[in-house]
Amino acid sequence: MNRSSSTDAIVLSLRPLGENNSSVTLLTPEAGLVYAVLYGGPKSRMRSLVAQWNSGKVWLYENPEKNQIKISDFEVSNYHTSFSQNLFKSYAASLAAELAIKTRCGGSSQQCFRLLSGFFDGMELCDEEQSRVGLIRFLWRYLELLGIQPVSHACSSCGKTFFDTQFAPNAVSYYNSMENSFICPDCAGHLPGENMLSVKNNAVQYLSALTVLSPSEARKLTIDEEIYGQIRQLVFFLIENSIDQKLNSIETGMGIL
Ligand SMILES: [Zn+2]
């Protein structure tokens, strides 16, 4: 194996290691999470490059005797500087990083890297309001990566699509947590209400559209405050129930995220 290598990477976290060094968690498309050591104190050039949320190209050196990977250089392509100036953005990035770490990239480092870089780069270009909807889109896509995104294009009971024009614009559909699926306004009437979360039909349509649209097309869709609130509640419920561990960023970020 080649001892020196380079790869695309996002810096997810840094922890002090001894007096002058840091232990760095990187997300890479090929190897997923990489834990590497950064040598040098706070004033070193590398410390300003290898900072949290920076993404770019990293050069790694593997030392088999020490069983250690060292960061030898980092070429930053995006500093994501707005994250440190906005509390929501910084918590949203922490949530994405925690998900990637706790789910071990959801089983696909390539897709996990693509989702996180797309989310981070998109958020850097957006204001807080747009970033809030961006977080919902990211989490919905992450559910797909985890293989637990509910089918949202059609009613699981009768098969009617949620875009069916016969539904009233404000019709209410339901999310059924027992079956991890959606039920249309027509079927909801004859089903018991347990394990059901009501969501407006427009909200299911939005989620359904996200599944088929490209990220740039999806960014153009607009939703009002009420639909955003419903989708947010549903997506956070699904994410929190999808992994056995508590997500610290959601707990500490309560009221911010
Ligand atoms: Zn139905």
Side-chain angles (χ1 to χ4, degrees):
M1 190 194 158
N2 202 338
R3 282 184 175 192
S4 290
S5 59
S6 66
T7 176
D8 290 332
I10 306 172
V11 180
L12 295 187
S13 72
L14 289 110
R15 273 185 302 112
L17 185 73
E19 243 175 74
N20 277 321
N21 309 325
S22 309
S23 164
V24 184
T25 307
L26 299 166
L27 177 65
T28 70
E30 302 300 333
L33 298 166
V34 172
Y35 300 92
V37 177
L38 175 69
Y39 288 96
K43 284 179 185 157
S44 79
R45 179 189 75 95
M46 285 292 288
R47 270 294 280 276
S48 60
L49 298 175
V50 186
Q52 195 179 32
W53 314 135
N54 285 4
S55 63
K57 193 173 177 185
V58 68
W59 278 262
L60 301 169
Y61 179 79
E62 200 171 344
N63 184 337
E65 283 110 67
K66 282 185 168 177
N67 193 21
Q68 187 187 74
I69 298 171
K70 179 191 134 182
I71 298 178
S72 42
D73 207 356
F74 195 63
E75 192 183 287
V76 182
S77 56
N78 200 328
Y79 287 88
H80 301 120
T81 43
S82 69
F83 295 11
S84 60
Q85 293 145 17
N86 180 289
L87 205 55
F88 170 79
K89 288 187 181 185
S90 106
Y91 270 93
S94 296
L95 173 55
E98 196 181 353
L99 263 181
I101 292 167
K102 289 194 169 160
T103 64
R104 294 172 189 274
C105 298
S108 167
S109 44
Q110 290 274 0
Q111 284 190 54
C112 183
F113 182 82
R114 194 172 47 81
L115 284 179
L116 263 82
S117 5
F119 176 45
F120 285 5
D121 293 354
M123 196 153 61
E124 179 63 18
L125 301 171
C126 289
D127 60 18
E128 181 177 323
E129 203 184 322
Q130 295 163 321
S131 297
R132 286 185 179 274
V133 189
L135 173 63
I136 301 303
R137 286 196 303 265
F138 165 77
L139 294 175
W140 181 249
R141 297 205 168 94
Y142 208 86
L143 288 168
E144 186 183 20
L145 171 63
L146 293 171
I148 49 169
Q149 188 189 74
V151 172
S152 57
H153 72 274
C155 169
S156 66
S157 181
C158 71
K160 238 178 271 166
T161 116
F162 289 99
F163 288 97
D164 203 314
T165 45
Q166 62 161 316
F167 295 134
N170 274 332
V172 175
S173 298
Y174 286 85
Y175 169 71
N176 180 347
S177 63
M178 288 301 279
E179 296 180 0
N180 192 29
S181 64
F182 289 99
I183 290 161
C184 81
D186 287 351
C187 294
H190 358 280
L191 287 161
E194 262 178 73
N195 311 309
M196 301 281 196
L197 197 68
S198 71
V199 270
K200 277 199 170 172
N201 209 41
N202 299 349
V204 192
Q205 286 177 349
Y206 180 75
L207 292 174
S208 183
L210 291 187
T211 317
V212 291
L213 295 179
S214 72
S216 62
E217 287 171 322
R219 268 197 292 274
K220 291 178 198 145
L221 296 176
T222 54
I223 45 172
D224 64 25
E225 195 67 25
E226 188 191 9
I227 298 296
Y228 164 76
Q230 290 192 345
I231 296 173
R232 183 194 170 281
Q233 187 192 14
L234 178 67
V235 171
F236 271 70
F237 171 83
L238 291 171
I239 283 288
E240 287 187 278
N241 281 279
S242 65
I243 53 174
D244 320 329
Q245 304 168 64
K246 279 218 176 304
L247 287 163
N248 300 327
S249 39
I250 291 186
E251 280 202 354
T252 56
M254 197 112 64
I256 297 162
L257 284 172

